[in-house]
Amino acid sequence: MANTDSVSVRIFSLNCWGIHYLSKHCSQRYAMIGDMLCKEEHDIVLLQEVWSEKDYLFLKKKLACSHPHSHYFKSGVIGSGLAIFSKPRIHDTFLYRYSLNGYPYMAHHGDWFGGKAVGMAVFKLGSLIANVYVTHLHAEYCREKDSYLPHRVVQAWELQQFICHTSAGADVVILGGDLNMHPQDLGSRLLRSYTGLRDSYLETAKFDGCENGMTLIANNPFINKRELSPFENGIRIDYILFKGSSKTEIYCDSMSTTKGSVPDHPFPYSDHEALTSELRLEVQRCNSSLLFFISSGKVAKLVDIVTEARTEVKVGLHWAERMRYTAARTGVMGLALLFLELAIAAVPWLALGAEQPFPRTSFYLLAALCFAILLITSLLYIFYTMELKSLQGAEDQMRLPTGSRWAQRN
Amino acid sequence: MANTDSVSVRIFSLNCWGIHYLSKHCSQRYAMIGDMLCKEEHDIVLLQEVWSEKDYLFLKKKLACSHPHSHYFKSGVIGSGLAIFSKPRIHDTFLYRYSLNGYPYMAHHGDWFGGKAVGMAVFKLGSLIANVYVTHLHAEYCREKDSYLPHRVVQAWELQQFICHTSAGADVVILGGDLNMHPQDLGSRLLRSYTGLRDSYLETAKFDGCENGMTLIANNPFINKRELSPFENGIRIDYILFKGSSKTEIYCDSMSTTKGSVPDHPFPYSDHEALTSELRLEVQRCNSSLLFFISSGKVAKLVDIVTEARTEVKVGLHWAERMRYTAARTGVMGLALLFLELAIAAVPWLALGAEQPFPRTSFYLLAALCFAILLITSLLYIFYTMELKSLQGAEDQMRLPTGSRWAQRN
């Protein structure tokens, strides 16, 4: 894998769709994935949606020889679903949980319970320090009316912040995962322009895979074609991104994806296609100190993107404010109803010997209803307040002069 | 403030105790703090427990001339309480929320609602990049039986991870805040040994302030002396820590604390004492590449500390597992009670015309009780599962070979 001037690394990324009882043929697919990884011997394997720790441990056992090092990132109620397996040793890991990640009451979407995050692992590849990131952003359930868009934009913002701030000491940065965003979506542009990460699919010298590098395709038997509409053939939402540094130049020699089926197997590895990139890292003899150099044209482009992102976050802010207001108003109505009930009940009790007391059953039923309303609206009020704070926090940070950080060293 | 080879910065840190209606003389104290900051003109001001955004905006207006740059870190339900004011421009900010921070049902302690975090701001001081961090860790309410200790240890662990991973590109690192830990507490040792941060109080050439650098003292009229016991005179839990880099040497020329009262004022700024450190940054002409050099003796010390931390986290893990089990058991009992009730109610309904039906009032009351039990235990189960995941995640990361990250460059 290494000589002093040039290092090659093969990176693999796959969303494993590992929801037991809901995903089809889950255990069989993990066995297939394990066999393939054992055989292919990629240097670094980045997996998403490994929701069950048992499946991680199954793979860990299976890959003990081919990939002796691994890490499973724990977060949220179910877990982050993120796992890394590698041939080189993992020197350090770090996890950043996104501050926004859907709503707990949207249990059928389930994202909130996953505790979505970005996991980082530090490797030494030859003489180079490589920071490798794996992530999985909030899913897009309806492109026309995407109520999670502000959450995904804030996640993309936090992802770029995390990568920018933690990668200063790295010679190489690699990010793999399911971003749930098309290449030209706001979040993708935000991420790529701020971090300077380059897209394997666009940079590769050789490509073998689905048309347009798609990773969610109509040909995959696990895919419901109606859900892909209006993109009949498929979409590209999984990526392997990379960048070098003043010390290292990085090239993508080849890239491939699976194509919806696996030879000699009745079904594919997952509902997503798997990505493999072969990257070549070349140590620069002459260190350039212009790492942070940025043209005024690029700053203008950044300003446009961040303005668009702020608009999206503001849409989310207004929505969260309206929802919090609704929760508060409903709570106050529940409280008023409780007082009204107590007042009505108290009247015959005060006028001793009145003939028609408040019917007991109705009294208790109504009181229980009021308490339930109060409890639920309080919880929703707390949740929306937290959402508001996170959205406001992201918007505040986006307001810092764009391009300022690139000017630091100049 | 600057010449090319040496830069002096004055750093200020104060826990403002800004809980309106609960903290005494809150508004008057903010006015006093504003006046003092305006007059003293520290370069960078790090404030904690600024719980109300109104108070931040009040200070921002008041300090518009002396400290034109500022940032308020939003997080959680109430906010992180963290604010930065500065003379030099803030180039970038980033917030990391700790994964563990007390319990929502311990509302009288309130820490959970604060969304405790560490805030980072990037400055350019002369030709140097300075990463400045401000934080406030979970309070210690009872030293003998500190049920929050695992949470605070995990916070200290995440704080050191955040600082180590985000400061690689910085020439200077400064951390100020209320760590709620004594200098020899496990979390303090963890933080200092992993980050290499040095303590202003121990390093200063000149000191003017409370005995032993204490920051929570019996002489402060806002302090309940009984709560300090067994430390009759006070404790040191607020810090200004710093470190240089291969490019910069850093010295603490002087340090001071307030002493429980303010001349010409009837009460002090806060229940905590304020800290001021004057740091001198010297640019090294000859870059040393031995930044990560660490002796085997130091690795052994680190192993001891991390072993102690893992033990503490495991104590938290057992407790959270027990609590989750209790929540699950109570939930199952609530469900069983509900089924029992339905069965009893169904018997006379099935045997048509039976003489003694289930009393309606009791039926509805019992059903409401069962639903309340189910709802509350479900929420607690979810919460404890998240706590468990965070504790397990920290413990997993602590298991990575100690000292490995220092060996990266060697």
Side-chain angles (χ1 to χ4, degrees), chain A residues 96 98-100 117-118 135-138 148-164 175 179-182 185-195 197 241 305 309 313 394 398 405, chain B residues 94:
Chain A
Y96 179 88
Y98 299 121
S99 64
L100 290 171
V118 45
T135 194
H136 180 200
L137 302 196
H138 197 292
Y148 297 113
L149 184 56
H151 283 211
R152 209 176 310 103
V153 169
V154 171
Q155 289 187 343
W157 174 260
E158 291 178 351
L159 175 58
Q160 70 78 9
Q161 280 192 312
F162 184 70
I163 293 176
C164 287
L175 164 66
L179 300 185
N180 271 313
M181 303 185 293
H182 298 213
D185 280 0
L186 175 58
S188 301
R189 284 180 285 140
L190 200 63
L191 173 67
R192 285 199 315 267
S193 3
Y194 269 83
T195 56
L197 284 167
L241 307 172
I305 295 174
V313 172
M398 286 175 185
R405 80 167 72 149
Chain B
F94 190 30

Side-chain angles (χ1 to χ4, degrees), chain B residues 37-38 41-43 45 63-70 85-87:
Chain B
L37 291 177
C38 231
E41 291 201 356
H42 306 90
D43 295 299
V45 172
L63 305 180
C65 293
S66 61
H67 298 84
H69 306 282
S70 66
F85 292 89
S86 68
K87 287 209 271 187

Side-chain angles (χ1 to χ4, degrees), chain A residues 367-380:
Chain A
L369 181 73
C370 291
F371 277 115
I373 290 175
L374 277 175
L375 182 65
I376 290 168
T377 51
S378 306
L379 291 174
L380 283 175

Side-chain angles (χ1 to χ4, degrees), chain B residues 135-351:
Chain B
T135 195
H136 180 198
L137 302 195
H138 197 293
E140 182 182 80
Y141 294 99
C142 170
R143 196 163 174 86
E144 281 71 45
K145 217 180 162 185
D146 182 11
S147 55
Y148 297 112
L149 183 57
H151 284 212
R152 210 177 309 102
V153 169
V154 171
Q155 288 187 344
W157 174 259
E158 290 179 351
L159 175 58
Q160 71 76 10
Q161 280 191 312
F162 184 70
I163 293 175
C164 287
H165 287 299
T166 55
S167 63
D171 304 311
V172 180
V173 176
I174 296 167
L175 165 66
D178 173 5
L179 300 185
N180 270 314
M181 303 184 292
H182 298 214
Q184 283 314 309
D185 280 359
L186 174 57
S188 302
R189 283 180 285 138
L190 200 62
L191 174 67
R192 283 199 317 267
S193 8
Y194 268 83
T195 58
L197 284 166
R198 287 145 58 201
D199 189 339
S200 279
Y201 172 69
L202 299 177
E203 302 270 336
T204 186
K206 271 192 293 185
F207 177 74
D208 176 31
C210 300
E211 184 194 346
N212 300 324
M214 288 182 301
T215 60
L216 212 61
I217 58 170
N219 275 345
N220 186 308
F222 296 135
I223 292 290
N224 180 341
K225 279 159 201 68
R226 262 175 307 166
E227 282 176 14
L228 282 178
S229 158
F231 305 97
E232 280 163 25
N233 296 326
I235 53 179
R236 184 157 82 93
I237 58 173
D238 299 79
Y239 301 83
I240 293 175
L241 307 173
F242 60 83
K243 71 168 176 180
S245 65
S246 58
K247 197 179 155 189
T248 324
E249 196 46 80
I250 181 164
Y251 305 93
C252 183
D253 285 340
S254 74
M255 195 206 167
S256 63
T257 72
T258 51
K259 295 171 191 172
S261 62
V262 179
D264 307 326
H265 284 282
F267 40 77
Y269 298 117
S270 170
D271 60 344
H272 285 243
E273 301 309 313
L275 280 70
T276 303
S277 288
E278 186 150 354
L279 305 177
R280 179 164 40 88
L281 325 178
E282 292 202 347
V283 180
Q284 298 283 305
R285 287 273 167 236
C286 164
N287 278 17
S288 149
S289 64
L290 286 172
L291 177 62
F292 289 97
F293 179 77
I294 187 165
S295 67
S296 61
K298 206 168 168 193
V299 168
K301 201 178 139 201
L302 273 174
V303 171
D304 284 351
I305 294 174
V306 87
T307 307
E308 203 177 332
R310 280 183 62 193
T311 310
E312 219 36 83
V313 172
K314 277 182 191 155
V315 170
L317 262 172
H318 288 305
W319 191 83
E321 263 166 8
R322 215 169 53 223
M323 292 305 282
R324 188 171 74 157
Y325 176 72
T326 307
R329 206 176 45 183
T330 315
V332 168
M333 275 164 60
L335 198 66
L337 195 62
L338 188 67
F339 281 129
L340 188 69
E341 187 195 5
L342 289 173
I344 294 173
V347 169
W349 182 74
L350 290 173

